[in-house]
Amino acid sequence: MIPEHFESYISRALDRDLTLEEFTKFEQELIASPESRALYLEYVDLHTVLDLELNIPASKPGSSTKIVDMNRVLRSQRRKSVKIAAFAAAAICILSLIAMQFYMMDRSPEVVFQSSPGTVFTLTHSKKKSSTESKTMEPGSRLELSEGSVELTFASGVRSIVTAPADITLHTDDTLFIQQGAAWFEVPQKAIGFTVNTDEFHIVDLGTQFGVCVKPDEHDEVHVFKGKVKVHAQGVEKESAILVAGEARTCDLNGRLSVIPARSSAFVTNFLQLPPYLYWSFDESDGFEVKGSHPAAADILSTPSPTDSPPHLAEGKFGSALSLDGNQQSLVTDWAGIYGLDQQLSCALWLRIPEGLELTNYSGIVGWGIPGNSNAKWKVFVRHDSIEEAPTVSVAIGAEQGIHWYEGETRLDDNQWHHIAVVQDGKDTQTGVPEISVYIDGERETITHSSLSLEMERFNSLEEIIRHPATRPLAIGKGPVPQDVTFQGLIDELYIFDGTISQAEIRKLLTQTTTNKR
Amino acid sequence: MPDDPRQTQEFVSLLTNHQEVIRAYIISQLPGCSEVHDILQEVNFLLWEKRLNFKLGTNFGAWACTVAYYKILDYRKKQKKDGILVFDSDLANLLSTESENKVPEALAAKRDALNFCLKKLSDKDRALLGARYDSAYSDMNQVSQKTGRSLASLRVSLSRLRAGLKDCINQRLGLEGRLV
C-alpha cells in the first residue's frame, strides 16, 4: 500500500469510516509492516492529544459520559480503616477529575462547594479548560449526588444546599439546571436575577430564599420562604406567577401552575459537617439497615432479635422508628464498636418511653463490649432503680481501674420524643475522669459522675477484644450484659459517630437529618 | 504495593500522570471507538482495584496497559458482536507490545506542540477539527451534516489536516529537541 493511501486509511480508521474491505487491507498492512504500525501509533498519539484539546464532552443528562463509580469505590473501601478509606475516596475523587488534570485554571471558579461527610458525588466538566480543583464548578459542570449533601457558594454570593439524590448542572455563572434533587437557595440583593431551570420550570429570583424540588415521576415544585420569585412553567400553557414568602407552586406537563402548601421541611437549610457516622433511620425503606459515612456502614448486618418475636417498625419522630417491647427485643449487629477512653465518639438518637414505665433497671439503649468487669465496655442506657424514681439516661464505660457511671436527671418516661446525644471527647477532666457530655433535646444535661473501683479484666487491642468469646458487638435496645433488661419504647434516627459532635451540630440534628426527611 | 496512604498517594500520582498514555493505548486497540472515555474510566477503576499488585519502582505504563488489555478484550468482543470492525488478536498483540512503553512526557510534549500547530491552522480548518472532535458529533455523518461538507470531502480534509499536524508536531519537537 502506498504511504499516502495508508495514512488516509489511518485517518479514516480513527473516524470509524472504513469499509470491511478497506479495514481488511488496513489490518494486513499493519500486520506486515513494523513501520506502518509505528506510523499508525504516531497518528494515534495525535488523535489522543487532539481529542484532549478539542473534545467537549456531552453534558446532557443521560449522556454516555461516565465517571468512576463512587459507590463502587466507596463500597470497596469500606472494609479498610477510616483513614485509608477517606484517603482512597479522596484519591478516587482525583481520578474522576483526571480528564481535567492537565488544564490550568483561567479564572476563579464560579461555584465552590463543600460536601458533608459520606457524600457520594461525581463531578464532570464540559469545558476543556476546567478547574483541576475537586470541588469547583464552572459553566457546563455537572454534579451528581447519590448520597449526602453539598453546599454551593456562587461567586455572586448565592448560597445553596443540595441534597441527594441530585443531578445539577451549572449552565452559566448565575443559572443552575436541576435535573433532580431538593435544593435550597439564599440569594443576596446583589445577585437578584439568579435563575434556576428544571424541565418544568424557569425560576428567576427577585432577592429571596426559596427551594426547588425535582423528583423523578413527580412534578417539580417551587417553594418561597422569603422575598419574591418569578416562576414560568415550561409547558405549552407557559403560565407564570410571582410568588411571595409562604407560597409554592407545582406545574403540570401542559405548563399550568397549581398552588401547593409551602414546605420548608422539604429542604435542608443548615449544612451538616459531621464526623464519619453509622446511621439507622428505621424508615420503611431502610428497615433495620445501617447507612452512613463510616467505612464500616456497608458491611454491618443488623439482625432483629429474637427471631420468633422480633422488634418492628412503628410511627417515629421522622418516618418510622424501631419499636421495642422490653421483652428481650433488640437489634443485634456484627460491628465491634469503638474502644478506648482516648477515642472520640458520639451517639445521638431520638427516643420515646411510655408513661408509667415498669421497673426496667438498666435497660440498654445502645452498647457493646465485654460484659463483667472489663475495660472494654461502653453503653448508653436508661437507669430506673426503683418505681418511685424517674427513669433517666445514663452512660457506663469500662476503664482500667473500674467502671465509670454518668447519670442524667431529666425524666424520660413522659411518652414524648426526646433527643439524646452522648459525646466522649477522648480526654480526661481535671479530676482524671473520662469526659462524657450528655445532651437532652439539645441542652447540656447535668450529670452525676460516679465510679466503682474494681479489679478489671484488661484488654489492650481491638483484636484481643474481638477474639474474646464473651464480646458483644453493638446492640440496639440492650447493652452488652446478657442479663440486662432490654429497652421498652421507640428509638429513631440513631447515629453513632466516630468522633465528637458539637452542641450546635446536635441542635441541627433536632431539626434535620443527613437524609433530609423532614 | 502495601496499602498505606503514602504509597497510595504515589500510586494515584502515577495513575494520574499516565492517563494520556492509557487513553492512547485504548485508542490504538480500538480505533474509532466512541466509548474511549468510558473504557478509560473502567480501566482506572480496575487499576485502582489491582493497585496492591503493582510494585512501585517498576514500569507503571506497561503494567497499566497490560491490565487495560484485558478490559479492552471485553470491548472488542462486544464490538465484534455488534458488527463493528475490530483488529484481530494477533495485530492487537503486536500493537500492544509496541505501544506499552510510551511515557507520559512524550505525549505531554506532543500536546504542547499540537497547541502551537493548531494556531497555525486557518479558522476554517480549526472549525472542521472542532466539529470532528466535538463529542456531540462523533459519527462522521453527523459531522458531515454539521459542517455541510460531503463525506468524501471530509475524509480528504481530515486526513490532510492530520498529516499536516503530525508533521508540524514532529518538526516542532525536533526543533525543541524534545522527546517524541
Side-chain angles (χ1 to χ4, degrees):
Chain A
M1 191 182 288
I2 60 172
E4 289 76 18
H5 280 178
F6 181 63
E7 289 190 53
S8 162
Y9 271 36
I10 295 175
S11 181
R12 290 175 57 198
L14 292 170
D15 294 331
R16 197 181 273 176
D17 187 33
L18 290 175
T19 63
L20 174 60
E21 193 186 341
E22 289 165 338
F23 189 83
T24 309
K25 277 188 200 168
F26 179 58
E27 248 190 343
Q28 285 168 351
E29 175 66 25
L30 285 171
I31 290 169
S33 162
E35 292 77 22
S36 293
R37 288 198 295 276
L39 184 62
Y40 167 68
L41 291 174
E42 200 178 334
Y43 271 100
V44 166
D45 284 356
L46 170 68
H47 181 75
T48 303
V49 291
L50 268 170
D51 197 34
L52 286 165
E53 279 301 314
L54 302 175
N55 186 356
I56 302 168
S59 62
K60 288 174 283 189
S63 75
S64 64
T65 303
K66 197 168 154 191
I67 294 295
V68 171
D69 183 341
M70 289 295 292
N71 291 309
R72 286 169 72 191
V73 172
L74 288 182
R75 272 200 299 274
S76 75
Q77 287 307 301
R78 277 172 175 158
R79 290 184 184 85
K80 310 282 180 201
S81 70
V82 178
K83 197 173 173 185
I84 293 288
F87 182 82
I92 291 299
C93 266
I94 294 166
L95 294 185
S96 69
L97 291 162
I98 268 163
M100 287 76 198
Q101 60 120 357
F102 296 99
Y103 298 114
M104 299 297 291
M105 286 176 68
D106 286 332
R107 54 181 182 157
S108 59
E110 300 307 335
V111 178
V112 293
F113 66 90
Q114 53 175 330
S115 55
S116 59
T119 295
V120 179
F121 70 87
T122 56
L123 175 65
T124 50
H125 298 291
S126 67
K127 287 172 66 178
K128 65 173 186 173
K129 300 265 183 199
S130 296
S131 164
T132 56
E133 299 297 318
S134 60
K135 290 186 176 178
T136 63
M137 295 176 78
E138 289 172 4
S141 299
R142 179 180 177 189
L143 182 63
E144 292 166 273
L145 297 179
S146 56
E147 284 180 33
S149 58
V150 294
E151 182 182 50
L152 310 175
T153 306
F154 291 71
S156 61
V158 174
R159 200 167 69 86
S160 174
I161 297 174
V162 183
T163 47
D167 182 352
I168 58 172
T169 303
L170 187 66
H171 276 177
T172 68
D173 301 357
D174 58 0
T175 307
L176 189 72
F177 176 76
I178 304 178
Q179 179 72 23
Q180 188 185 354
W184 172 86
F185 297 89
E186 184 177 56
V187 182
Q189 284 293 318
K190 66 175 183 177
I192 286 176
F194 176 78
T195 301
V196 176
N197 288 324
T198 72
D199 282 337
E200 294 179 334
F201 274 125
H202 173 67
I203 304 152
V204 181
D205 177 84
L206 303 174
T208 190
Q209 274 182 12
F210 67 101
V212 179
C213 197
V214 181
K215 290 181 184 171
D217 308 323
E218 289 182 27
H219 290 301
D220 302 349
E221 296 177 4
V222 184
H223 300 253
V224 180
F225 309 119
K226 270 187 193 172
K228 289 180 185 174
V229 156
K230 191 165 188 181
V231 296
H232 304 263
Q234 306 268 35
V236 180
E237 299 289 333
K238 296 198 182 305
E239 285 187 1
S240 66
I242 290 182
L243 307 185
V244 296
E247 290 188 325
R249 295 286 186 279
T250 185
C251 81
D252 62 23
L253 289 174
N254 293 321
R256 283 188 291 261
L257 299 174
S258 310
V259 176
I260 54 171
R263 283 184 305 125
S264 59
S265 60
F267 304 93
V268 171
T269 56
N270 284 310
F271 190 65
L272 280 173
Q273 282 248 302
L274 299 167
Y277 60 84
L278 301 172
Y279 168 53
W280 287 259
S281 72
F282 299 119
D283 286 347
E284 295 287 348
S285 54
D286 299 330
F288 303 122
E289 188 190 335
V290 60
K291 293 159 79 172
S293 62
H294 193 286
D299 299 324
I300 296 176
L301 277 178
S302 302
T303 310
S305 173
T307 48
D308 56 346
S309 172
H312 61 278
L313 299 178
E315 188 182 349
K317 175 68 181 173
F318 301 108
S320 54
L322 177 69
S323 175
L324 300 159
D325 67 0
N327 188 20
Q328 294 307 307
Q329 284 185 336
S330 66
L331 202 57
V332 180
T333 78
D334 56 358
W335 183 62
I338 297 171
Y339 291 94
L341 296 178
D342 57 346
Q343 297 295 308
Q344 294 185 331
L345 88 108
S346 310
C347 171
L349 65 137
W350 286 93
L351 60 71
R352 183 170 162 179
I353 298 176
E355 281 181 83
L357 186 71
E358 289 176 19
L359 190 62
T360 55
N361 293 313
Y362 306 142
S363 62
I365 301 171
V366 292
W368 57 79
I370 300 174
N373 298 338
S374 88
N375 69 336
K377 189 165 63 174
W378 201 92
K379 78 169 178 178
V380 181
F381 62 104
V382 176
R383 183 167 185 167
H384 194 196
D385 286 323
S386 71
I387 203 77
E388 292 80 26
E389 289 181 68
T392 56
V393 69
S394 294
V395 181
I397 53 178
E400 294 209 345
Q401 310 302 330
I403 305 281
H404 291 278
W405 299 73
Y406 305 82
E407 191 185 354
E409 57 185 29
T410 301
R411 182 168 198 127
L412 295 173
D413 61 338
D414 57 1
N415 205 26
Q416 300 296 313
W417 283 104
H418 291 286
H419 189 260
I420 311 291
V422 176
V423 180
Q424 172 178 306
D425 73 0
K427 294 174 189 156
D428 287 350
T429 61
Q430 286 177 341
T431 53
V433 173
E435 179 87 56
I436 294 280
S437 308
V438 176
Y439 298 84
I440 297 187
D441 298 327
E443 298 299 329
R444 180 95 179 245
E445 176 81 336
T446 302
I447 51 174
T448 307
H449 168 262
S450 55
S451 60
L452 189 59
S453 292
L454 293 165
E455 187 63 38
M456 301 295 281
E457 196 176 357
R458 293 175 191 175
F459 300 90
N460 298 315
S461 72
L462 183 60
E463 198 184 357
E464 206 181 338
I465 294 165
I466 291 170
R467 275 209 315 260
H468 195 282
T471 299
R472 297 287 185 278
L474 165 71
I476 301 164
K478 73 173 187 179
V481 181
Q483 59 269 34
D484 272 0
V485 291
T486 50
F487 177 79
Q488 184 187 347
L490 298 165
I491 294 175
D492 200 4
E493 306 298 322
L494 168 63
Y495 289 86
I496 293 175
F497 297 97
D498 195 348
T500 57
I501 52 172
S502 66
Q503 186 171 22
E505 286 165 334
I506 291 166
R507 285 178 173 169
K508 284 180 184 176
L509 286 173
L510 298 180
T511 55
Q512 67 184 87
T513 72
T514 48
T515 52
N516 183 33
K517 294 189 289 186
R518 306 292 172 268
Chain B
M1 189 190 83
D3 202 11
D4 77 57
R6 192 179 52 77
Q7 292 186 321
T8 303
Q9 193 170 16
E10 196 169 334
F11 181 87
V12 169
S13 171
L14 281 167
L15 183 50
T16 307
N17 287 336
H18 281 78
Q19 284 302 291
E20 290 179 348
V21 169
I22 303 167
R23 177 188 282 265
Y25 180 82
I26 296 166
I27 293 170
S28 72
Q29 293 283 316
L30 301 164
C33 174
S34 57
E35 294 166 277
V36 171
H37 183 68
D38 291 359
I39 299 168
L40 177 63
Q41 292 299 334
E42 288 188 27
V43 168
N44 280 334
F45 187 78
L46 200 57
L47 291 170
W48 177 257
E49 279 190 326
K50 292 180 179 293
R51 67 192 181 285
L52 298 182
N53 300 343
F54 176 67
K55 216 172 166 184
L56 285 173
T58 59
N59 185 339
F60 182 85
W63 175 75
C65 288
T66 306
V67 173
Y69 184 81
Y70 293 99
K71 175 57 69 182
I72 292 165
L73 267 183
D74 293 343
Y75 270 84
R76 200 183 293 129
K77 277 182 204 157
K78 186 176 154 256
Q79 290 199 318
K80 204 168 181 177
K81 226 172 169 179
D82 294 343
I84 295 167
L85 300 172
V86 292
F87 287 150
D88 78 27
S89 53
D90 288 345
L91 176 57
N93 270 329
L94 273 175
L95 289 169
S96 177
T97 310
E98 289 167 16
S99 59
E100 68 183 18
N101 286 321
K102 275 185 188 157
V103 291
E105 293 78 8
L107 275 167
K110 284 187 178 183
R111 190 167 174 183
D112 285 347
L114 173 70
N115 272 315
F116 170 83
C117 297
L118 282 173
K119 285 179 193 149
K120 294 172 81 176
L121 295 180
S122 67
D123 289 347
K124 197 174 148 197
D125 284 344
R126 269 201 304 273
L128 178 61
L129 282 171
R132 164 60 186 88
Y133 284 93
D134 182 341
S135 65
Y137 302 96
S138 57
D139 178 77
M140 284 295 279
N141 288 314
Q142 288 178 307
V143 181
S144 168
Q145 277 176 11
K146 190 193 176 192
T147 57
R149 301 173 70 145
S150 68
L151 271 177
S153 153
L154 263 185
R155 281 173 194 142
V156 172
S157 297
L158 285 171
S159 179
R160 175 182 57 80
L161 280 170
R162 283 174 174 139
L165 286 170
K166 175 181 71 71
D167 291 344
C168 174
I169 287 171
N170 286 342
Q171 196 183 10
R172 178 84 181 157
L173 292 176
L175 281 175
E176 292 181 357
R178 296 172 76 170
L179 187 62
V180 179

